[in-house]
Amino acid sequence: MEIKLTNDGRNMLLNFVAGNKIKFTKAVFGNGDYQLAEGDKELPRIINPLQSCEFDSTPEIGTEQSVAKLSATFNNSTVESGFHVTEVGYYAKLVTKNGSGEDVEGDEALYAIGNADSSEADYVPASTERLVEVTYDGLVYIGDADVSAVLSENAQYTPLKDFNAHIRDKNNPHE
């Protein structure tokens, strides 16, 4: 799935040059069927949002400081009908300084969006079929902006790497 900046995302990038920051707030997953027409510049909203979640960790900045890796995990416990993830949206806020030098968050806006054909998209089954956890890693362009993310406090599952570290810990009370 190719991820493209929206006009709001481009505006946030332009504003960071003045010393502002970008704060990623959430990822939204849906099954809308939008195709960007040749020559279109604006990307749409998420057409059919089905899942939304905060990010698993602070964005990892690439070695070239031009992309941020955004990782978001959701489970299908509330999914009543299975769907193909044909659209993913990454939302953010521009953080500016007020006259006192304090951070002021702007309105949340769709920063970047990815679309995929349903024949290539990941399938999320209904919770009655089986319970799954889905993690999406998206690379979004940030230039050399200062970025942060709203992190999920409600993770229902432990990432495998954290679980493995826990069971290898010699102080693990579960032995």
Side-chain angles (χ1 to χ4, degrees), residues 93-146:
K93 294 179 180 181
L94 183 65
V95 181
T96 59
K97 299 278 186 194
N98 65 15
S100 304
E102 299 169 321
D103 285 348
V104 177
E105 293 183 4
D107 293 334
E108 184 178 66
L110 182 59
Y111 181 86
I113 189 170
N115 294 99
D117 184 85
S118 61
S119 66
E120 299 172 1
D122 293 331
Y123 180 74
V124 177
S127 59
T128 55
E129 292 178 50
R130 68 181 184 277
L131 189 61
V132 297
E133 182 178 80
V134 180
T135 300
Y136 270 84
D137 292 328
L139 297 176
V140 295
Y141 182 76
I142 52 123
D144 58 358
D146 188 0

Side-chain angles (χ1 to χ4, degrees), residues 31-94:
N31 67 347
D33 188 21
Y34 176 84
Q35 296 298 319
L36 191 61
E38 188 73 29
D40 279 353
K41 295 192 189 293
E42 179 55 58
L43 296 166
R45 62 180 170 72
I46 298 297
I47 293 172
N48 191 32
L50 298 171
Q51 290 286 320
S52 176
C53 60
E54 295 172 336
F55 296 99
D56 298 338
S57 61
T58 302
E60 294 177 24
I61 309 303
T63 56
E64 296 177 11
Q65 298 296 330
S66 62
V67 296
K69 178 183 173 187
L70 299 171
S71 182
T73 302
F74 69 89
N75 69 61
N76 68 334
S77 63
T78 61
V79 175
E80 294 178 7
S81 293
F83 68 97
H84 286 92
V85 180
T86 58
E87 54 185 349
V88 178
Y90 296 98
Y91 287 79
K93 294 179 180 181
L94 183 65

